[in-house]
C-alpha cells in the first residue's frame, strides 16, 4: 500500500517499537511537534503527515501552536493506530 497506513503496517511487521522502551512522557503532558518527534524518534515532517492523515490527534494551544498529549504519543507508540 502507498498510504500512511501501509507504511505503518510495514513498519509494525518489521518489529516496530517492540524492542524499544516506551517514550518517556506524562499521559496528561502536552508536547510540541518537535518534542513528539524526538520522543517517537521520527521526523517532525512525519508527525505533520500523521496529523494530516488522522493517525495522530492534536490540541491547539491558546497561542495557536499544536500540542500532542502524552497519552496520544503512548497510544501511537503502542501501535493502536492500526
Amino acid at each position: 500500500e502507498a498510504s500512511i497506513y501501509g507504511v505503518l503496517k510495514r513498519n509494525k511487521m518489521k518489529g516496530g517499537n517492540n524492542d524499544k522502551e516506551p517514550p518517556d512522557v506524562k499521559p496528561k503532558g502536552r508536547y510540541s511537534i518537535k518534542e513528539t518527534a524526538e520522543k517517537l524518534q521520527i521526523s517532525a515532517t512525519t508527525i505533520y503527515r500523521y496529523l494530516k492523515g488522522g493517525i495522530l490527534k492534536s490540541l491547539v494551544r491558546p497561542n495557536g501552536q499544536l500540542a500532542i498529549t502524552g497519552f496520544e504519543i503512548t497510544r501511537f507508540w503502542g501501535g493502536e493506530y492500526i
Side-chain angles (χ1 to χ4, degrees), residues 18 24 45 71-72 80:
N18 295 337
D24 182 25
T45 302
F71 175 81
E72 181 69 4
E80 293 183 27

Side-chain angles (χ1 to χ4, degrees), residues 14-27:
K14 289 179 185 175
N17 293 317
N18 295 337
D19 58 341
K20 299 178 186 174
E21 290 292 318
D24 182 25
V25 295
K26 296 178 183 176

Side-chain angles (χ1 to χ4, degrees), residues 8 11 21-22 27-28 35 37-39 51 56 60-61 78:
L8 291 170
N11 288 344
E21 290 292 318
K28 292 186 178 181
E35 291 170 324
E38 290 170 357
K39 299 285 185 188
L51 289 169
L56 279 171
V60 180
R61 292 180 170 163

Side-chain angles (χ1 to χ4, degrees), residues 60-81:
V60 180
R61 292 180 170 163
N63 64 5
Q65 291 181 339
L66 296 176
I68 300 171
T69 65
F71 175 81
E72 181 69 4
I73 293 169
T74 303
R75 181 194 67 80
F76 176 85
W77 180 88
E80 293 183 27
Y81 49 84

Side-chain angles (χ1 to χ4, degrees), residues 5-66:
Y5 288 102
V7 172
L8 291 170
K9 284 180 185 177
R10 282 193 301 277
N11 288 344
K12 187 167 178 115
M13 289 199 285
K14 289 179 185 175
N17 293 317
N18 295 337
D19 58 341
K20 299 178 186 174
E21 290 292 318
D24 182 25
V25 295
K26 296 178 183 176
K28 292 186 178 181
R30 295 181 179 190
Y31 300 87
S32 69
I33 300 297
K34 181 179 177 182
E35 291 170 324
T36 300
E38 290 170 357
K39 299 285 185 188
L40 294 172
Q41 299 179 359
I42 57 178
S43 72
T45 302
T46 300
I47 296 293
Y48 282 112
R49 191 176 304 126
Y50 290 167
L51 289 169
K52 184 177 179 181
I55 306 296
L56 279 171
K57 298 173 187 161
S58 65
L59 307 169
V60 180
R61 292 180 170 163
N63 64 5
Q65 291 181 339
L66 296 176

